Amino acid sequence: MAQHVDIRIYYEPEKPLDSEGDHIRLVTIVPVSPDMLKTEPIECFLSEYCLNDEHFTPTYRKYLDDAAALGALDDPQRPPLRHMSGHALGNWIQIARFGDQVETNEPESRYEWGDYLALSYTWGDPSKLREISVNGRPLLITENLEACLRVLRSKNYTRHGWRFWIDAICINQKDIVERAGQVKRMREIYTKAWTPIIWIGDDESGSKEALDLLVTLASGYSSRDGVEKLTGTLHRNAKHFGVGCWRALNNIVCRRYWQRLWILQEVALGRYTTPVLCGERTLCWGQFARAFSILKQTDEVINTYITRELEEVSLSFDPVI
């Protein structure tokens, strides 16, 4: 007789979250070999951690005492400050360069137990579920979150032990009291994370073209004369950026991720260098912000090109930029 396996939609921890201290649960994603990334089931471990200052490392305490170093955190143009031991203290989770594929420098952990990133995402279609393992027990999560975990599993920061706060897994969704308390703390949790990490969804048809266009706009058209330069370029050659690129961009900005109020609040708690993941591709929030800014200033012109390309495939345009 086959053994019955209880597969849960919500993870129920063995004990309630400590409500007295500054405690949260965090997910550790078990890494696998590169050839198994797309096939091996997702395995995670969930543990409770304390965010109190008393758990800071000595190095991070010294860093916090340096007012100049604190200012460097949000200034991507400023070179990293270094402690006498050679640790790059002012460049934790800093974007190393802008370009086709953004690179990040991994920071040191702030806490004695390690450190964490807070995932900003949407749950996705609740009818499309995938099974993962949490602390050795099967758990059903949405297809969108499973795709995200599969991508995160390939990242260096995951392989090096960085943990993640993911509401669908870290909060006992069946415990109404805990859920209410954690929702009230979400701003604090995202603020205390080293950075939010944004997942706008998996790679789809046209994603590469859309992201390439965003990078081009952010790097080549964000100067003072960017509006005039962009409109001039399009008037001279409507297909300058490639056939179908505006339709692809519209698909990106119409994704479900951008349609939730709390998502905008989570993004606001990030920095210019906050990583944005679309499938296996990583950009930074600053590139999106720069590109969206130039698009907003040229919305009438850009909407015309988006409308044309949508009409070519019998779709209508609902402006969201």
Side-chain angles (χ1 to χ4, degrees):
M1 182 175 179
Q3 183 178 4
H4 173 71
V5 178
D6 182 18
I7 302 180
R8 301 171 185 269
I9 297 178
Y10 301 124
Y11 185 77
E12 297 180 59
E14 295 180 357
K15 63 177 184 177
L17 198 61
D18 185 350
S19 59
E20 297 299 323
D22 192 3
H23 289 249
I24 61 173
R25 297 189 192 93
L26 295 173
V27 173
T28 300
I29 305 172
V30 178
V32 296
S33 59
D35 59 315
M36 302 294 287
L37 286 172
K38 295 185 180 298
T39 58
E40 189 72 10
I42 301 292
E43 183 179 4
C44 302
F45 288 96
L46 187 67
S47 299
E48 188 172 318
Y49 298 91
C50 183
L51 302 182
N52 285 345
D53 296 359
E54 63 190 50
H55 294 284
F56 286 156
T57 64
T59 302
Y60 187 61
R61 289 178 187 278
K62 187 174 183 65
Y63 176 74
L64 292 177
D65 290 336
D66 185 343
L70 287 175
L73 277 172
D74 294 311
D75 185 357
Q77 304 302 323
R78 185 171 176 175
L81 300 176
R82 295 185 180 275
H83 183 249
M84 62 179 63
S85 64
H87 298 298
L89 299 178
N91 204 25
W92 299 3
I93 288 291
Q94 188 80 337
I95 297 299
R97 68 177 177 88
F98 293 107
D100 195 37
Q101 183 72 18
V102 170
E103 298 174 351
T104 57
N105 295 330
E106 283 189 52
E108 287 187 55
S109 298
R110 296 169 297 167
Y111 297 95
E112 293 171 346
W113 50 260
D115 218 319
Y116 78 102
L117 309 172
L119 183 64
S120 176
Y121 74 111
T122 57
W123 283 29
D125 189 340
S127 68
K128 296 181 179 179
L129 301 175
R130 297 289 183 268
E131 182 181 330
I132 66 170
S133 171
V134 179
N135 291 354
R137 294 157 58 186
L139 174 71
L140 293 177
I141 60 174
T142 59
E143 183 178 64
N144 184 54
L145 179 54
E146 196 268 352
C148 176
L149 295 181
R150 198 167 287 280
V151 169
L152 289 176
R153 184 168 64 173
S154 70
K155 303 301 183 183
N156 283 334
Y157 42 81
T158 302
R159 290 196 290 268
H160 293 167
W162 277 72
R163 298 167 177 84
F164 300 88
W165 189 82
I166 305 169
D167 61 350
I169 302 175
C170 296
I171 300 175
N172 183 354
Q173 301 293 333
K174 294 189 70 174
D175 186 330
I176 298 176
V177 175
E178 177 181 312
R179 188 174 62 191
Q182 289 287 283
V183 168
K184 289 180 180 178
R185 291 190 62 199
M186 285 184 71
R187 180 180 180 85
E188 175 193 356
I189 291 171
Y190 278 93
T191 301
K192 286 190 172 182
W194 185 248
T195 182
I197 186 165
I198 297 171
W199 170 258
I200 64 173
D202 211 351
D203 183 43
E204 297 176 356
S205 177
S207 295
K208 179 184 183 301
E209 290 76 11
L211 297 178
D212 286 346
L213 179 57
L214 282 170
V215 170
T216 298
L217 293 173
S219 59
Y221 295 88
S222 59
S223 58
R224 289 184 177 181
D225 62 345
V227 173
E228 182 179 350
K229 183 179 177 183
L230 178 58
T231 54
T233 297
L234 290 171
H235 285 318
R236 288 190 297 272
N237 180 5
K239 304 296 184 182
H240 175 80
F241 297 104
V243 177
C245 66
W246 298 109
R247 181 171 66 246
L249 178 62
N250 183 67
N251 292 339
I252 284 284
V253 300
C254 285
R255 287 194 178 197
R256 190 172 181 177
Y257 177 83
W258 310 108
Q259 299 171 15
R260 298 292 184 268
L261 177 60
W262 64 82
I263 289 293
L264 301 180
Q265 295 171 339
E266 293 167 7
V267 171
L269 294 173
R271 296 197 292 270
Y272 192 81
T273 54
T274 294
V276 181
L277 278 63
C278 179
E280 297 183 3
R281 184 84 173 270
T282 302
L283 274 69
C284 72
W285 173 244
Q287 290 174 300
F288 275 79
R290 283 182 177 180
F292 287 170
S293 177
I294 189 72
L295 291 172
K296 189 170 184 62
Q297 295 177 68
T298 57
D299 58 352
E300 291 186 8
V301 175
I302 299 305
N303 288 352
T304 299
Y305 289 98
I306 293 176
T307 301
R308 288 177 185 174
E309 291 192 350
L310 288 175
E311 288 176 346
E312 290 173 1
V313 291
S314 301
L315 295 174
S316 60
F317 174 53
D318 181 17
V320 296
I321 296 177

